[in-house]
Amino acid sequence: MTFAQIILPLNLKGTFTYKVPDVYLDEIEVGMRVLVPFRGKKIYTGIVTEIHQNAPEIFIPKEIISILDEFPILPNEQIRFWNWLSEYYLCNLGEIYRFAFPSSLKLESETYLKLKPNVTVDFELLEVNEMYLIQALEVRQLINLTEIEAFIPKKDIVKTINSLIDLKYIEVDEKIAEKYKAKEVAYLKIEDSVLKRNLPEILVELKRSPKQQELFLSILEKQTEHPEKPIRKSEIFAEGNYASTQLKSLSEKGLVQEYYLQKDRLEAYSGEMEELEKLTDSQLVAKSEIDAAFATGKNVLLHGVTSSGKTHIYLEKIQETVSEGKSVLFLLPEISLTKQIVQRLEKKYGKQLGFYHQKLTDFERVEVWRKVKNNELKVVIGTRNALFLPFQSLGLVIVDEEHDSMYRPREVSPYFNAKDSALVLAKTYGAMAILGSATPSVETYYLAKKGKLQYVYLGERFGNVKLPEYQLIDFKEAQDLKRVTGNFTTEVTEEIQNELHQKKQIMILHNRRGYANVVECESCGYVHYCSNCDVVMTYHKFSDEMKCHYCGQKATKPKFCPKCHSENLNVRGVGVEQIFEEISRIFPEAEIDRMDVDSMRKKFAYEKLYEKIENGETDIIVGTQMISKGLDFDDIELVVIPKADALLYVQDFRAEEKAYQLITQVSGRAGRISGKGKVMIQTYNPHHTVFQLIKENYSLKIYDHFLEERRKFLYPPFVKLILIELKHRREEKTNRASQFMGSILRKYLPEECILGPEKSPISKINLLYQYQILLKLPKGKKYSEYKNLVLKSFEEFDELPAYRSIKRIVFVDF
DNA sequence: AGCACGCCGACT
DNA sequence: GTCGGCGTGCTC
């Protein structure tokens, strides 16, 4: 008797044992997908992780219904990687599976199918099951696997579905994914077949509708002028000359085609491939250091100051890897900030380059998945979920902007740090890895210092351009000298004025959304709290509403105090909207734009503003941390941080590190070409160590400072942190559960390892109360021992059924 | 996770 | 009298 261990897409511990039917004995392999029954009538797509002969003793396994793949879909390396993730981050394999696979590769009973819009089905070519399914779908739009069982034998269901998906007749309905739908842009084109027709003939056809004729001609003109340049629909309608009905008639007549492209693929390049530029001397040195490290099997931290040309070096290493016949994974924190690297790689690799990120539709994901599986892609640019692609022979993994916190978002499960995981993935594939950043995380820097990573430093800007100069401005002193307007010192406004005169652009960083942090009643001190969360709501003047930044709830701004009915409501806490308003008042002549999540919410708002800045139509850009990423413009020379202290006063042991990273990153936008970059930092504490060290701009010293602090107060990289969060709708229950958890942990672990339980800093989010316990565990051998004890504690906790409704989230290395 | 079973409160 | 809340148990 042969059995198989199967991962199911459920948040349950471990794998499940199924019996392999004799007919499948020859076919089944580890890494294949199988269809299995679970809990009565449910069907899931599982993954085989093990095939063995050990009959389970305490239950009777069910049989595998069918095998879905001819060949394993998941490489062994990935299975090992999943196992590592599950053990290291204390999460279930099922969660990883769910996160890793595009949904149409893991059909389950609740997966809904639908007919693709506007398809004509050729029934002649369909086999009987396929026909049944199409007919059923014609009657009702959505149908799920359980329902299909009524008319197709279980065994054949998935085969039928897959074949119809391949024929492009049906698709998987994305109920949840709808929200994240990739942004698409409408384009227009005139088909070749139309172009071949005789033009006067077409014009005669359109004689009776002159507007259509005009529209057709204008599209034709654009298309003939720049045959490679796609024509945006919005571009045609922007001038307001045409109505959409006219376009509609043209497309009905088959003269003009409307089609859609992914926003990220706008730059899709179809021209000839480009050779790489030569490396500069300092880049050559860095590259040879990388080569030497790789030769000894050591991965690299590439610490390159802003504009030092890390990208050049990446490109060089990518090319080497590809020419060895291996593929490359290039990780980015977010897909939107990729213009330069994407353009350059696209020119070089054309069709052998793929993108994989959270915003793709399921269909697009499967496409990339398939290509990676077939080894058609040499280079994949992607966000953290690209770690799970079925690479065949990975040779190099690059993690760009390795310090970026987007590599470990706290809100999506499973919780893992993509930067650390990338190193493990590389190792399982026998690939090398480069972590790159202008401001490495303290942990990574420490690894390099310890020699676990090779430290490669690029301290020179490309073209030997000077680094920006920092100026610390004592705000208190300026106030005393009455040289202050609102949140700006005269020194700063004069400098801005000066830059404006020289037609240079200015960036102002203020990392706080909205207009005001707090709306407060002057008479009784009442402040407006979110009804779902334990946080004050932020006032957004632009949209004139109160927003909760944690649950997204919106409310109207109160006109009077609900408690004492006083109309004396005041706002406190400066947000970016206020800074924007102020600067607009001080410089009424200047063109000023604001860039933050709230102002960039509209479709293409980001692209539009990007273009505007690039064209030099914007003088001053006011924004949150968003402006520190991906905006490389030549004419920015001045960066102002009016309220820099706000960056430091955050309840987070990484606050100083993050402040340093943010300030350095945004400063990197200044003087990239001219070398005359200047950064003005207004602060009440000009003598604060962090500001002083930033001003000195000597990175070794600042990292030593951070490391010293971390060592003193026992934080990573000197200890391992595990944060346990317990959540429930009822506060009392959450509190009791956390006390109970604390007492169990204290049974097994030394007292000094356990902090809490205590209320989380934000004690309620989305109606759930939160308590937390922070574990500070020693590194090294002891760590795995202690971690097992933590697991044991969890098991003990779970034995008490009363607390089973408590949600538990565990962050390892948080 | 998700689903069924079972036990107690506010409604036609 | 029932509908529906969620606590509990179980899934190969």
Side-chain angles (χ1 to χ4, degrees):
Chain A
M1 290 263 263
T2 303
F3 303 92
Q5 292 307 119
I6 311 288
I7 304 177
L8 294 180
L10 300 168
N11 192 4
L12 290 171
K13 225 179 122 203
T15 54
F16 293 83
T17 312
Y18 283 84
K19 187 183 168 328
V20 182
D22 294 344
V23 279
Y24 292 134
L25 278 178
D26 295 336
E27 284 173 54
I28 196 160
E29 280 182 57
V30 167
M32 284 179 171
R33 290 175 305 151
V34 290
L35 211 59
V36 294
F38 188 77
R39 212 184 186 285
K41 52 188 178 194
K42 287 218 119 210
I43 303 173
Y44 291 100
T45 304
I47 310 263
V48 181
T49 57
E50 210 186 317
I51 298 164
H52 58 87
Q53 261 63 244
N54 315 322
E57 283 160 22
I58 37 173
F59 57 88
I60 301 147
K62 293 185 176 171
E63 283 203 356
I64 289 170
I65 298 169
S66 64
I67 298 184
L68 304 182
D69 299 307
E70 234 176 293
F71 304 101
I73 187 168
L74 200 63
N76 263 312
E77 290 89 344
Q78 281 290 352
I79 297 180
R80 273 191 278 150
F81 180 53
W82 290 21
N83 279 318
W84 176 82
L85 280 169
S86 148
E87 270 172 44
Y88 188 86
Y89 289 107
L90 308 175
C91 60
N92 290 318
L93 283 166
E95 284 180 274
I96 300 170
Y97 172 33
R98 279 187 167 192
F99 184 83
F101 265 56
S103 43
S104 46
L105 292 179
K106 49 175 173 20
L107 303 173
E108 56 184 80
S109 357
E110 287 307 310
T111 306
Y112 281 83
L113 300 168
K114 65 178 180 200
L115 277 180
K116 278 204 153 203
N118 314 319
V119 287
T120 28
V121 178
D122 187 354
F123 282 96
E124 302 281 306
L125 299 172
L126 295 185
E127 58 128 331
V128 60
N129 282 332
E130 294 170 354
M131 207 149 79
Y132 287 154
L133 181 51
I134 295 281
Q135 281 166 349
L137 280 167
E138 278 172 347
V139 181
R140 46 219 205 82
Q141 293 82 359
L142 289 178
I143 205 162
N144 74 27
L145 296 209
T146 321
E147 292 159 347
I148 295 171
E149 266 177 66
F151 51 88
I152 300 181
K154 262 190 186 179
K155 267 182 190 300
D156 300 331
I157 290 179
V158 172
K159 202 180 81 199
T160 308
I161 292 170
N162 281 340
S163 142
L164 288 174
I165 289 179
D166 284 345
L167 288 166
K168 307 227 161 102
Y169 286 160
I170 65 168
E171 62 192 0
V172 173
D173 188 57
E174 293 282 333
K175 280 172 297 187
I176 314 130
E178 205 87 53
K179 275 188 285 188
Y180 305 106
K181 210 173 164 173
K183 290 181 181 152
E184 286 186 331
V185 191
Y187 287 88
L188 301 174
K189 72 171 171 200
I190 297 169
E191 291 267 345
D192 287 344
S193 59
V194 178
L195 291 174
K196 281 195 198 101
R197 283 173 57 189
N198 156 351
L199 182 62
E201 184 191 303
I202 297 174
L203 293 182
V204 168
E205 197 181 311
L206 294 172
K207 197 174 62 188
R208 291 175 53 206
S209 21
K211 261 314 208 189
Q212 285 179 38
Q213 198 181 72
E214 199 186 314
L215 173 59
F216 179 78
L217 285 173
S218 95
I219 297 171
L220 185 65
E221 190 190 343
K222 279 191 202 284
Q223 189 165 326
T224 352
E225 252 176 58
H226 303 285
E228 316 83 29
K229 197 177 157 228
I231 304 161
R232 270 206 200 181
K233 185 175 165 184
S234 54
E235 168 189 343
I236 296 287
F237 286 100
E239 300 135 40
N241 288 338
Y242 309 106
S244 58
T245 48
Q246 291 146 8
L247 176 69
K248 205 171 150 226
S249 319
L250 284 178
S251 90
E252 272 164 12
K253 288 173 186 148
L255 294 171
V256 174
Q257 289 264 308
E258 198 171 324
Y259 64 105
Y260 294 86
L261 281 186
Q262 213 77 66
K263 182 185 105 185
D264 308 310
R265 306 249 24 184
L266 291 187
E267 284 81 30
Y269 189 85
S270 51
E272 62 210 65
M273 299 193 183
E274 190 193 55
E275 277 315 302
L276 295 178
E277 296 162 53
K278 284 242 160 41
L279 294 182
T280 63
D281 287 348
S282 54
Q283 287 171 343
L284 275 174
V285 173
K287 191 185 158 283
S288 66
E289 285 173 28
I290 295 174
D291 291 339
F294 280 8
T296 61
K298 213 184 216 188
N299 291 324
V300 167
L301 164 60
L302 178 57
H303 182 182
V305 298
T306 48
S307 317
S308 59
K310 289 188 290 295
T311 312
H312 278 209
I313 298 176
Y314 296 152
L315 288 168
E316 201 65 39
K317 291 307 292 177
I318 289 171
Q319 185 175 23
E320 278 178 26
T321 312
V322 172
S323 66
E324 284 163 18
K326 297 196 171 172
S327 51
V328 178
L329 171 61
F330 190 108
L331 284 186
L332 288 158
E334 287 164 273
I335 203 69
S336 54
L337 336 148
T338 59
K339 265 202 151 124
Q340 311 88 333
I341 181 90
V342 168
Q343 275 172 352
R344 286 153 91 176
L345 283 169
E346 215 152 32
K347 282 179 191 174
K348 183 111 184 68
Y349 298 99
K351 280 196 159 48
Q352 297 190 318
L353 172 71
F355 299 89
Y356 197 77
H357 53 83
Q358 279 92 342
K359 285 179 183 160
L360 294 181
T361 61
D362 198 63
F363 185 72
E364 293 164 314
R365 284 179 204 220
V366 177
E367 277 293 300
V368 178
W369 182 283
R370 215 202 66 237
K371 286 184 189 161
V372 171
K373 183 94 197 55
N374 298 339
N375 226 345
E376 288 168 37
L377 297 180
K378 290 298 160 212
V379 184
V380 178
I381 299 183
T383 48
R384 57 206 295 271
N385 56 347
L387 286 169
F388 298 97
L389 287 167
F391 297 104
Q392 298 301 299
S393 61
L394 199 57
L396 177 65
V397 180
I398 296 171
V399 184
D400 195 24
E401 307 295 351
E402 74 70 44
H403 65 280
D404 200 296
S405 60
M406 290 299 275
Y407 283 125
R408 49 179 152 113
R410 262 178 75 152
E411 35 289 305
V412 265
S413 95
Y415 176 82
F416 66 94
N417 184 339
K419 182 244 308 176
D420 295 329
S421 306
L423 292 175
V424 174
L425 182 78
K427 203 172 163 199
T428 31
Y429 273 95
M432 298 313 296
I434 303 175
L435 307 182
S437 175
T439 53
S441 63
V442 172
E443 285 90 339
T444 308
Y445 180 84
Y446 184 71
L447 281 181
K449 194 177 161 151
K450 280 285 188 184
K452 299 263 168 61
L453 291 172
Q454 179 64 45
Y455 181 71
V456 177
Y457 185 63
L458 255 180
E460 194 178 278
R461 273 183 159 187
F462 186 73
N464 221 346
V465 166
K466 265 181 41 194
L467 281 166
E469 210 176 275
Y470 292 91
Q471 194 179 336
L472 295 172
I473 294 152
D474 189 334
F475 200 78
K476 182 83 190 24
E477 195 182 286
Q479 267 176 332
D480 293 346
L481 295 170
K482 300 268 183 298
R483 285 172 64 80
V484 163
T485 322
N487 288 298
F488 291 91
T489 57
T490 315
E491 207 175 343
V492 165
T493 50
E494 277 170 0
E495 188 64 34
I496 293 176
Q497 188 63 59
N498 185 19
E499 292 288 322
L500 285 173
H501 272 310
Q502 296 177 47
K503 298 264 171 263
K504 295 292 178 188
Q505 291 169 308
I506 298 121
M507 266 189 176
I508 300 179
L509 171 77
H510 185 68
N511 200 22
R512 192 177 270 171
R513 287 168 58 195
Y515 186 83
N517 222 9
V518 190
V519 174
E520 190 187 33
C521 170
E522 294 265 281
S523 319
C524 72
Y526 167 89
V527 287
H528 197 86
Y529 273 85
C530 172
S531 55
N532 299 333
C533 312
D534 186 31
V535 290
V536 255
M537 290 183 93
T538 303
Y539 175 51
H540 289 247
K541 194 173 188 177
F542 191 75
S543 53
D544 192 31
E545 59 191 358
M546 309 289 292
K547 281 188 200 171
C548 170
H549 292 175
Y550 288 85
C551 71
Q553 206 195 58
K554 291 173 184 172
T556 50
K557 190 192 171 200
K559 297 229 169 7
F560 52 85
C561 172
K563 216 167 119 197
C564 71
H565 302 281
S566 154
E567 284 182 29
N568 210 358
L569 293 178
N570 213 343
V571 293
R572 278 199 294 125
V574 180
V576 67
E577 289 184 7
Q578 214 173 126
I579 296 286
F580 174 80
E581 192 180 89
E582 237 178 69
I583 214 76
S584 309
R585 229 179 1 241
I586 304 174
F587 301 102
E589 308 289 299
E591 180 66 21
I592 305 168
D593 284 294
R594 177 165 62 92
M595 183 181 263
D596 56 38
V597 265
D598 302 293
S599 68
M600 295 295 110
R601 216 172 287 266
K602 267 193 271 166
K603 234 184 176 177
F604 304 120
Y606 184 85
E607 285 72 13
K608 277 187 197 154
L609 183 52
Y610 188 97
E611 232 167 89
K612 195 175 166 195
I613 303 169
E614 197 169 37
N615 295 339
E617 292 159 35
T618 294
D619 300 315
I620 306 178
I621 308 132
V622 182
T624 54
Q625 48 147 18
M626 201 179 244
I627 62 170
S628 70
K629 299 181 185 182
L631 299 179
D632 293 333
F633 302 113
D634 297 350
D635 280 336
I636 296 171
E637 286 191 350
L638 176 64
V639 168
V640 178
I641 307 171
K643 295 182 82 67
D645 300 323
L647 298 173
L648 294 176
Y649 302 140
V650 187
Q651 256 283 254
D652 179 352
F653 71 91
R654 278 188 248 264
E656 290 194 354
E657 177 190 354
K658 284 184 182 162
Y660 153 73
Q661 283 160 344
L662 184 52
I663 292 173
T664 311
Q665 290 286 346
V666 73
S667 306
R669 312 297 123 206
R672 302 172 39 108
I673 303 290
S674 67
K676 286 191 243 162
K678 188 170 185 181
V679 185
M680 298 178 96
I681 300 172
Q682 295 187 156
T683 165
Y684 283 104
N685 313 287
H687 299 293
H688 193 290
T689 324
V690 172
F691 291 138
Q692 284 298 326
L693 287 167
I694 287 174
K695 183 179 159 66
E696 249 182 84
N697 205 355
Y698 180 41
S699 59
L700 294 186
K701 220 166 150 183
I702 201 157
Y703 280 99
D704 282 345
H705 164 71
F706 289 144
L707 284 170
E708 195 39 47
E709 298 277 297
R710 302 282 182 90
R711 192 197 306 274
K712 230 190 315 188
F713 300 105
L714 286 178
Y715 277 107
F718 301 101
V719 292
K720 290 285 223 173
L721 292 186
I722 297 181
L723 181 73
I724 303 160
E725 256 180 19
L726 300 175
K727 306 189 186 200
H728 194 269
R729 283 184 310 109
R730 280 167 40 211
E731 171 155 29
E732 200 20 53
K733 187 160 181 165
T734 324
N735 186 9
R736 267 185 287 121
S738 71
Q739 293 300 335
F740 181 55
M741 177 67 91
S743 68
I744 299 172
L745 286 164
R746 286 194 159 83
K747 251 178 25 190
Y748 296 111
L749 297 172
E751 180 59 34
E752 64 269 22
C753 291
I754 304 167
L755 283 88
E758 62 190 356
K759 260 189 194 177
S760 297
I762 295 156
S763 68
K764 183 172 75 166
I765 293 184
N766 250 326
L767 297 173
L768 294 180
Y769 287 92
Q770 321 199 121
Y771 277 71
Q772 63 175 38
I773 298 171
L774 180 63
L775 304 179
K776 282 186 175 177
L777 304 180
K779 305 214 318 172
K781 245 186 262 155
K782 266 263 187 288
Y783 177 63
S784 57
E785 189 186 307
Y786 281 7
K787 205 158 106 180
N788 283 331
L789 292 172
V790 173
L791 276 177
K792 197 168 165 187
S793 309
F794 288 169
E795 274 165 31
E796 208 170 310
F797 181 87
D798 291 336
E799 272 167 29
L800 206 74
Y803 291 140
R804 249 188 32 112
S805 55
I806 302 261
K807 225 188 176 128
R808 177 172 72 225
I809 309 171
V810 182
F811 302 102
V812 176
D813 289 351
F814 92 103

